[in-house]
Amino acid sequence: MLLALICAATQVNAQNARLTNYVNPFIGTGAVKSSLSGNTYPGATVPFGMVQLSPDTRDEPDWDAACGYDHNDTFIAGFSHTHLSGTGVAELFDVLFMPITGEIKTRAGDKNQPYSGYGSAFSHDQESARPGYYQVKLKDHDVNVELTAAAHSGFHKYTFPKGKQARVVIDLNHSMKKGNWGCHVVSAQFRMVNDHAIEGYRVITGWAKLRKIYFYAEFSKPVKGNDFVDGGTQYFNQTVINGTDLRAILDFDTDDKPLLAKIGLSAVSPENAKLNLTTEIPGWDFDKTVAAADAQWEQELEKIKVQGTPDQMQIFYTGLYHAFIQPNNLADVNGDYVGSDYAVRNDKNGFYSTFSLWDTYRATHPLYTLIQPQRDAAFVNSMLRQYETYGYLPIWQLWGQENYCMIGNHAIPVVVDAVLKGLPGIDAERAYEAVKKSSTTDHPGSPFKVWEQYHYMPENIQTQSVSLTLEMAYDDWCVAQLAKKLGKTEDYQHFMERSAYFKNLYDKSTGFFRSKDDKGNFIAPFSPLEYGGNGGNPFTEGNAWQYFWYVPQDIKGLIALTGGEKNFAAKLDTFFTLSSKNREVNGNASGFIGQYAHGNEPSQHVTYLYDYAGQPWKTQQYVNKVMNELYNTSSSGYSGNDDCGQMSSWYVFSSMGFYPVNPTSGIYAIGSPTMKKAVMQVGDKTFTVTAANVSAKNIYIQSAKLNGKKHDRVYITQQDITTGGTLEFVMGPKPNKSWGAKPADRPQ
């Protein structure tokens, strides 16, 4: 009886616990055994906020710590206010603050070498993090640092040791490794406003070109003196300094009270930086700001309420947290923002950037259409603003600027999906104009004149040709669907024809998509195991095995090319069991199950393809295997870069039991639910998924009901979800091979 009461009390406490308690910001922050980990940071931010205030464990972060932080490091260079979550390129790291005691080392030797004169050792047993809050003890300075944030503002709390000199370094030269992507500081400035405030800016170019970052900082104590440093030259107690290698060292009295520092950021002006700060954090109550950040996260996480094991809950809500870190609203509190043409404009609905679209169009944006429809509409309208000033939709947009990273133009499926699903506030005709123009205008990575001339990408004209052919064909299918909706019949037929160009690279003799030259000849030698990176090979961050399955718009056509469902399923069997590797594996490929590489996006839909071939129990097997073996609660909790929430979104969908194989179709293939219950808030309705008997062994679907009626289809639709209702699974330890196996039950 006592045990039953304890179990009941534990269940009630779990149900009543704040969802933010399940978020572990350290998941994905550091690899083990030379693997990938997620490349996420543990610092403080709020949902979709511009400021991400987090420690940098490198003087000049590079690709292996692109978020600025590596859990394996024992050194902190300082705390900068902007970061990227899960990307493969290190960028941002703006306006670094670091509290210190005593003197700092001066720069010696080559000015271009990293500078670590004020950094400190730290240990994880004196470090903690939760949504909207980060804390660490700096060993070398004996300073306890606490951080929190608002949308455009950061809030620092430094507890200095008694009797020690209290100083704060502000570094405007801290950035990714200089020279990478042409990174260098163009100009920078500090200006003392009064004895409690300092403002400044830097103009820096790198992965995003010519970014302007203004800041305004206030302190709870007066500045007793300042030392402005430009390179190796010091200027004491000056009011203003301009240069390209600037640091400010500010002195404060040491007493029993912590030093508080509030910093506002803006891409527009120092006045707007101050306005952002005074609007978002008007007072000096640090704990109140922490509570406000936690409340914002709680509100967003409540959009899906799940019941599972403690580890499942932790992975799920950390994943949802990572999915909601970006895109970031660059518009100031008054609506001002800087567009892709560097002109200042205004939109009270915000201007969002950080679009890792080659990744996030697959699952993250479909997730937004369900639980963040208003925000996803704002994301789309922000993309349309780039089209208006730039001529085509974003490919990889950062700080409002296009950096042309990756291939294709995957803003197209995001925009089309939003319109087809009826998200509010999007002009469908304007959206169609943008996707059509973006599908017919040559730009880096998508030469459409070549596409129209050859009906495939010849490798001797355009490298990464096979991946480009497959991905552009999918984008064209998306354009065709919007043309159909709007009654543009001629355009529909043209883009549907282009969406079938993938067939022109299929080699029946090998059973793979292969590169051709501009004469129509397959290029030899060929090995389906040989990897490509980001140029110089027909495949992008993968091989022919991994890209074979990338025809989400026409899986029936792919099955036909393979020789029918039996051959298709047999090829999937080989794909998941063939472990041999040829030559060097691309560094982005990780999380292997045979040739399946969950650590990078081209593979991530493939576990669900058995649903299309009448063997859904194998989808259930492999989806469950991925969730249980390639996600965990440690610092190496992801099998590859999280890529702005895509890896996380895969888990969020899959743990509930379904996934958008074709992200723009509004159809979700069913996998293997691991949560006992999931309740998704969709507008004013809820969609509930239950999985009776689910456990580590009971991974196979025995039967299902949708709204009380027998459900044998191995898919559900957007309408099934958004109209509200309940999807009930009964789980068991062995496959029920009759469930979902009929042709009529397969995804369309």
Side-chain angles (χ1 to χ4, degrees):
M1 182 65 180
L2 178 60
L3 179 61
L5 289 173
I6 292 173
C7 291
T10 301
Q11 184 175 5
V12 170
N13 288 335
Q15 292 174 353
N16 293 334
R18 291 183 65 80
L19 301 181
T20 52
N21 292 341
Y22 293 110
V23 176
N24 177 2
F26 290 108
I27 290 178
T29 58
V32 293
K33 297 181 181 178
S34 301
S35 66
L36 296 174
S37 67
N39 226 334
T40 58
Y41 63 80
T45 189
V46 295
F48 309 104
M50 174 185 180
V51 164
Q52 309 96 39
L53 179 51
S54 190
D56 294 336
T57 60
R58 310 283 175 89
D59 283 310
E60 291 187 325
D62 208 342
W63 67 270
D64 58 340
C67 64
Y69 181 96
D70 188 327
H71 199 265
N72 298 300
D73 292 339
T74 58
F75 167 86
I76 287 177
F79 307 91
S80 60
H81 288 75
T82 57
H83 293 85
L84 293 174
S85 181
T87 63
V89 176
E91 180 59 298
L92 303 182
F93 315 114
D94 296 309
V95 192
L96 181 139
F97 272 54
M98 183 66 171
I100 65 172
T101 55
E103 300 300 317
I104 67 172
K105 301 174 185 176
T106 57
R107 187 190 301 277
D110 185 353
K111 134 177 213 185
N112 295 319
Q113 290 301 309
Y115 180 81
S116 58
Y118 49 79
S120 174
F122 79 106
S123 64
H124 295 306
D125 59 3
Q126 293 182 302
E127 182 186 36
S128 63
R130 60 182 188 269
Y133 176 82
Y134 173 85
Q135 172 275 327
V136 69
K137 185 69 173 289
L138 301 176
K139 288 186 174 182
D140 292 350
H141 305 297
D142 195 24
V143 177
N144 189 59
V145 175
E146 298 175 83
L147 308 174
T148 188
H152 306 82
S153 312
F155 202 166
H156 304 234
K157 181 179 180 181
Y158 306 142
T159 303
F160 289 91
K162 292 182 180 179
K164 292 282 188 177
Q165 185 177 16
R167 314 182 86 187
V168 174
V169 178
I170 309 175
D171 194 334
L172 295 185
N173 190 51
H174 178 72
S175 70
M176 73 158 91
K177 188 174 183 179
K178 298 297 191 299
N180 287 4
W181 303 90
C183 177
H184 66 280
V185 176
V186 177
S187 66
Q189 181 187 88
F190 285 117
R191 183 185 298 273
M192 293 300 303
V193 178
N194 54 50
D195 66 350
H196 280 76
I198 185 173
E199 66 183 21
Y201 68 84
R202 78 170 176 181
V203 181
I204 186 170
T205 195
W207 198 28
K209 305 305 178 187
L210 288 176
R211 294 189 304 114
K212 295 181 179 180
I213 306 98
Y214 299 90
F215 79 93
Y216 177 87
E218 293 181 349
F219 299 93
S220 61
K221 300 178 183 180
V223 178
K224 293 298 184 180
N226 70 65
D227 177 6
F228 288 157
V229 182
D230 184 7
T233 306
Q234 294 176 282
Y235 303 88
F236 292 96
N237 296 318
Q238 299 293 306
T239 302
V240 64
I241 186 173
N242 296 278
T244 58
D245 184 9
L246 297 187
R247 300 185 307 282
I249 301 98
L250 308 180
D251 294 328
F252 298 88
D253 279 342
T254 301
D255 55 29
D256 293 336
K257 294 181 180 179
L259 174 65
L260 303 178
K262 302 187 298 182
I263 300 93
L265 260 59
S266 169
V268 175
S269 68
E271 292 80 14
N272 276 19
K274 181 178 181 180
L275 178 65
N276 289 338
L277 176 62
T278 56
T279 302
E280 294 175 348
I281 311 178
W284 290 96
D285 192 331
F286 182 86
D287 292 339
K288 182 179 179 181
T289 307
V290 172
D294 181 84
Q296 288 183 60
W297 279 114
E298 185 72 15
Q299 180 178 354
E300 300 304 327
L301 297 176
E302 284 181 348
K303 295 181 185 298
I304 308 179
K305 295 182 178 180
V306 298
Q307 295 177 18
T309 68
D311 281 358
Q312 288 171 345
M313 300 276 281
Q314 191 175 149
I315 296 169
F316 182 93
Y317 282 111
T318 303
L320 203 56
Y321 167 83
H322 283 144
F324 290 169
I325 285 178
Q326 65 288 299
N328 308 114
N329 186 9
L330 295 187
D332 296 323
V333 294
N334 63 0
D336 288 349
Y337 69 93
V338 177
S340 58
D341 58 353
Y342 297 99
V344 176
R345 292 182 170 81
N346 187 277
D347 192 324
K348 296 298 191 295
N349 294 318
F351 175 72
Y352 290 85
S353 190
T354 315
F355 292 121
S356 183
L357 291 161
W358 188 79
D359 310 292
T360 56
Y361 85 93
R362 303 167 194 263
T364 310
H365 280 276
L367 182 65
Y368 295 151
T369 68
L370 292 169
I371 57 176
Q372 297 281 2
Q374 287 79 18
R375 274 208 173 93
D376 198 51
F379 302 157
V380 167
N381 283 325
S382 296
M383 295 178 198
L384 293 176
R385 288 187 212 123
Q386 171 169 318
Y387 161 71
E388 292 167 355
T389 58
Y390 210 69
Y392 43 86
L393 291 165
I395 299 166
W396 213 122
Q397 190 203 80
L398 177 61
W399 209 263
Q401 300 302 312
E402 182 58 66
N403 63 32
Y404 297 109
C405 188
M406 305 311 294
I407 59 173
N409 191 325
H410 297 314
I412 291 170
V414 172
V415 172
V416 171
D417 189 37
V419 176
L420 294 180
K421 289 176 179 174
L423 267 60
I426 302 172
D427 185 323
E429 289 289 346
R430 176 168 164 255
Y432 182 72
E433 176 189 317
V435 298
K436 181 179 178 181
K437 190 72 175 291
S438 299
S439 299
T440 54
T441 300
D442 278 354
H443 54 76
S446 296
F448 289 103
K449 289 180 182 178
V450 175
W451 187 234
E452 292 279 14
Q453 179 179 353
Y454 293 96
H455 298 180
Y456 64 90
M457 284 296 174
E459 179 67 17
N460 60 321
I461 294 177
Q462 177 63 51
T463 188
Q464 304 178 73
S465 60
V466 178
S467 294
L468 260 171
T469 296
L470 294 167
E471 294 193 22
M472 289 172 65
Y474 176 68
D475 290 344
D476 284 345
W477 181 87
C478 295
V479 179
Q481 305 317 300
L482 187 51
K484 181 179 181 180
K485 178 180 176 65
L486 298 177
K488 302 179 188 295
T489 304
E490 186 176 341
D491 282 358
Y492 168 72
Q493 293 172 346
H494 177 66
F495 284 104
M496 281 300 291
E497 180 182 346
R498 285 189 5 177
S499 76
Y501 286 175
F502 70 90
K503 297 178 182 179
N504 297 329
L505 290 187
Y506 183 70
D507 177 15
K508 188 175 181 180
S509 67
T510 62
F512 290 96
F513 295 106
R514 288 182 57 187
S515 61
K516 287 181 177 179
D517 60 22
D518 59 347
K519 307 300 183 185
N521 303 310
F522 284 115
I523 297 175
F526 168 74
S527 168
L529 295 170
E530 183 175 346
Y531 278 81
N534 299 94
N537 186 283
F539 297 95
T540 301
E541 297 185 4
N543 63 19
W545 265 112
Q546 289 150 11
Y547 259 98
F548 174 78
W549 316 99
Y550 193 77
V551 190
Q553 75 276 20
D554 188 10
I555 296 172
K556 286 185 178 179
L558 183 62
I559 290 172
L561 281 181
T562 315
E565 291 178 353
K566 184 177 180 180
N567 288 345
F568 185 78
K571 189 158 190 168
L572 279 170
D573 291 344
T574 303
F575 178 67
F576 282 104
T577 55
L578 180 63
S579 60
S580 61
K581 298 180 177 65
N582 184 30
R583 299 178 65 178
E584 185 178 351
V585 174
N586 178 263
N588 285 291
S590 56
F592 283 99
I593 302 174
Q595 287 302 300
Y596 177 84
H598 189 70
N600 207 22
E601 279 66 25
S603 288
Q604 288 181 359
H605 67 292
V606 185
T607 49
Y608 286 88
L609 294 185
Y610 284 108
D611 281 356
Y612 296 77
Q615 297 183 16
W617 65 90
K618 291 182 180 176
T619 280
Q620 295 158 34
Q621 172 192 343
Y622 282 115
V623 167
N624 190 275
K625 184 178 180 69
V626 171
M627 282 189 284
N628 283 296
E629 296 182 7
L630 298 178
Y631 290 83
N632 62 64
T633 60
S634 76
S635 64
S636 58
Y638 296 116
S639 59
N641 289 339
D642 189 42
D643 288 314
C644 292
Q646 168 59 27
M647 186 80 71
S648 293
S649 299
W650 188 97
Y651 186 92
V652 168
F653 269 125
S654 295
S655 66
M656 293 189 294
F658 49 93
Y659 185 80
V661 172
N662 177 344
T664 307
S665 67
I667 292 174
Y668 301 85
I670 288 174
S672 174
T674 58
M675 296 296 176
K676 292 181 180 180
K677 185 176 184 180
V679 181
M680 183 187 303
Q681 190 70 41
V682 282
D684 59 354
K685 295 179 170 49
T686 58
F687 183 72
T688 301
V689 183
T690 62
N693 305 323
V694 68
S695 68
K697 293 183 178 180
N698 294 342
I699 66 171
Y700 294 104
I701 296 172
Q702 306 300 298
S703 64
K705 291 182 180 180
L706 180 61
N707 298 327
K709 297 181 179 179
K710 184 180 180 182
H711 185 82
D712 287 333
R713 296 181 307 178
V714 291
Y715 67 94
I716 56 175
T717 68
Q718 183 85 1
Q719 187 175 3
D720 290 333
I721 298 172
T722 57
T723 56
T726 300
L727 177 62
E728 301 171 85
F729 294 110
V730 176
M731 310 299 291
K734 296 181 180 180
N736 176 4
K737 296 183 179 181
S738 65
W739 182 82
K742 297 178 182 178
D745 296 332
R746 295 165 201 172
Q748 304 302 308

